[in-house]
Amino acid sequence: MRPTRMPTDSDAAAPLLELHELRTVFPLGQGRVLKAVDGVSFTLLAGRTLCIVGESGSGKSITARSIMQIVGPPGRIAGGEIIYRPYPGRAPIDIARLHPRGTVMRAIRGRDIAMIFQEPMTSLSPIHRIGWQIGEPLLAHRLADRKAAHQQAIELLRQVEIPNPETAVDRYPFEFSGGMRQRAMIAMALACGPKILIADEPTTALDVTTQAEVLRLLTRLQHEDGLALLFITHDMGVVAQIADDVLVMHQGQIVEHGPVERIFHDPQHPYTQRLLDASKKLGMAAPPARPVVIAQQPLLQVRGVTLTYPVQTSLFRRPQVPPPAVRDVSFDLYEGENLGIVGESGSGKTSLGNCLIRILQPGTGQILYRRHDGTDMDLVALDRQALRQVHREIRMVFQDPFASLNPRMTVARVIGEPLLVNGVLSGPALSQRVAELLAQVGLPRDAGQRYPHAFSGGQRQRIVIARALALNPRLIIADEATSALDVTLRGQILDLLLELQRSRGLSFVLISHDLGVIRYFCNRIAVMYRGEIVEIGGADEICFNPRQPYTQALLAAVPEADPRRRNLLHAA
């Protein structure tokens, strides 16, 4: 078994970590510095959960990385204290004064203080088996030999509720789903029995049911081992579900700090009030902003679409035919309508979206697209040349705006590229059109001369939207276009899309695991499960009167943004 220590009564109020006026800066050149963390102070207690909330760039993650001494260069801790109190009778340690690669810090990192990152696929080695990666901290800290580390990895996988841990231990990360990879990351973080666990946006990219499972798992492990949990998120619903205390950050500083009930029901700072208002705006009980659909002409008629991925061959395993990723899917999308597609990870949502725009070739079925002249064309049967013409009218917005933008191209070139490649505009006319598109998405004209890395996540998503609008499309497929954004930016992007829809007569297919976003934006909702649409109907009908048990389970897993109504932690 991994090293654990049952919590005692004295542990319940024991301060494990104290930050005093922590300052972390990033030099900008010419004597200027960015104060990413500016005078942050708080105490982390054993057995309690402190949630840090705030918009992107508020300093949440840099605070966590400062505690772990993993701030990337040229960033550095410029002042303050990070006092770690390891055990009664042992002298406290000021982490801020330790060398990041020194013996003392390496002994603390991973063993006493562990961290879970947002995207497990980038944190897990693709070439090492899961069991080796979970056992590696035990070997590094000399807490077990290889045989014992392997056995402990199996036990940890069992503890984080991964099925068949004896075989799962020998699998690779790409063989795990997103939720299973996150569970493996939790197992790795807990391998050495840490006293403090830092979780940086660990559920942001997960669907609601997997998120609920991970939150229940973290809470159970905390209660069993007396962990102090520092949880970083921009999801106020998650905060309401798990937090004992809440710390609100804005521009590197703490603007409010207190018990979770007071923060939610009596917020003092205007910034906290704005965060809560933005969360309520996209809540299940909030009034929607979706358009009124008048036209009843189908823009898109999907009939019996099925997609099966190719058989994966291997020298060491017998080839297995995978089940269809999309199975006999049919629906209509009307002009001016917004259709939401929801479901768990692996339900086929993204695969269906890629079929609609023909990034993927369906095996069977029809996708009939109604052109301006009223004629229908089957997108499944089109060749590459004909698809180029259709892609001027159907565009896609992807989840990760940074990965969607060429870092070597200026924003003006990024937005203007579709116009240039399709021979629509060039020269001064192209520059004028790019400036108009920037203005439409709320960015200044001079933004075109900068590169994607100079913009925040919300601004990068606006750039991606501007590029999608360049060719005056009729249909936009948005695949998790707001899931990586904080709650205020999420509302701004959705309102921007709705305004552009009103002015341009657009239709949308919005793929998301956030049911609040879907209800706010969409007229109808299609629920997918294992590649099939199991339920489709009006947004309010699906959200408030679902017929299918699977839809009911999805809705039950939506976290309520009210700490007095914790609906996830004790659910079955």
Side-chain angles (χ1 to χ4, degrees), residues 56-353:
S56 299
S58 61
K60 308 186 300 295
S61 294
I62 297 299
T63 299
R65 288 178 170 271
S66 299
I67 294 170
M68 296 292 289
Q69 278 280 20
I70 54 172
V71 178
R76 61 183 179 85
I77 296 175
E81 297 177 322
I82 306 173
I83 304 299
Y84 170 53
R85 304 182 184 280
Y87 301 100
R90 280 183 56 185
I93 301 169
D94 186 358
I95 291 175
R97 285 169 170 72
L98 299 178
H99 192 282
R101 294 185 297 276
T103 303
V104 177
M105 190 63 230
R106 285 190 287 115
I108 293 173
R109 189 189 297 126
R111 178 170 181 170
D112 290 0
I113 307 176
M115 189 165 179
I116 306 168
F117 296 93
Q118 176 175 350
E119 178 45 64
M121 201 58 187
T122 60
S123 304
L124 294 169
S125 167
I127 63 172
H128 292 100
R129 299 178 191 273
I130 288 291
W132 185 91
Q133 297 186 62
I134 293 174
E136 194 272 338
L138 293 165
L139 298 173
H141 291 285
R142 300 180 181 178
L143 297 176
D145 58 25
R146 289 189 178 275
K147 184 177 180 180
H150 183 80
Q151 287 302 120
Q152 206 156 310
I154 294 173
E155 183 59 34
L156 283 160
L157 288 174
R158 182 177 289 109
Q159 191 169 3
V160 298
E161 301 172 7
I162 286 182
N164 304 314
E166 291 81 3
T167 55
V169 74
D170 292 322
R171 295 164 67 185
Y172 292 92
F174 68 85
E175 298 179 271
F176 279 27
S177 68
M180 289 175 68
R181 286 196 294 265
Q182 196 62 279
R183 289 170 182 269
M185 277 290 296
I186 294 171
M188 190 188 310
L190 296 176
C192 297
K195 301 182 70 177
I196 298 171
L197 182 62
I198 301 173
D200 187 3
E201 301 276 11
T203 63
T204 295
L206 303 180
D207 58 71
V208 289
T209 51
T210 306
Q211 173 179 265
E213 291 169 2
V214 169
L215 293 178
R216 285 196 289 268
L217 172 64
L218 285 173
T219 304
R220 177 175 65 79
L221 294 173
Q222 180 188 33
H223 289 163
E224 289 176 358
D225 297 343
L227 287 169
L229 180 60
L230 182 64
F231 197 100
I232 298 169
T233 184
H234 59 245
D235 189 327
M236 299 303 287
V238 169
V239 173
Q241 294 295 310
I242 68 169
D244 295 304
D245 304 284
V246 181
L247 188 150
V248 184
M249 290 191 69
H250 181 53
Q251 296 182 350
Q253 297 181 329
I254 296 174
V255 297
E256 193 158 359
H257 184 193
V260 61
E261 284 210 15
R262 188 192 67 74
I263 294 294
F264 272 79
H265 295 289
D266 187 25
Q268 302 298 307
H269 197 277
Y271 179 72
T272 310
Q273 295 167 5
R274 182 155 65 90
L275 285 180
L276 291 169
D277 289 343
S279 180
K280 292 173 185 175
K281 175 181 177 178
L282 299 180
M284 296 298 287
R290 52 184 178 249
V292 176
V293 179
I294 300 174
Q296 290 299 308
Q297 286 280 18
L299 180 65
L300 206 65
Q301 299 176 71
V302 180
R303 297 290 180 267
V305 168
T306 297
L307 171 73
T308 302
Y309 287 105
V311 176
Q312 298 294 322
T313 59
S314 171
L315 293 174
F316 307 104
R317 295 181 183 176
R318 181 178 299 174
Q320 294 183 341
V321 179
V326 179
R327 188 196 308 264
D328 194 26
V329 166
S330 300
F331 64 86
D332 290 336
L333 174 71
Y334 295 97
E335 292 186 23
E337 182 187 35
N338 295 341
L339 175 69
I341 301 178
V342 301
E344 295 174 307
S345 299
S347 62
K349 307 186 300 297
T350 295
S351 295
L352 175 59

Side-chain angles (χ1 to χ4, degrees), residues 360-416:
L360 296 175
Q361 173 70 48
T364 60
Q366 290 182 312
I367 302 174
L368 301 176
Y369 171 64
R370 191 176 190 84
R371 306 210 68 182
H372 280 292
D373 59 7
T375 60
D376 290 334
M377 61 166 52
D378 184 4
L379 302 186
V380 175
L382 295 184
D383 59 23
R384 182 174 297 181
Q385 185 61 34
L387 272 176
R388 285 192 64 180
Q389 296 299 316
V390 171
H391 284 166
R392 296 176 62 167
E393 301 182 24
I394 305 176
R395 306 295 289 175
M396 196 156 190
V397 176
F398 295 94
Q399 176 175 355
D400 186 347
F402 196 74
S404 304
L405 300 173
N406 188 332
R408 299 180 182 274
M409 294 172 63
T410 64
V411 166
R413 286 187 60 197
V414 166
I415 295 174

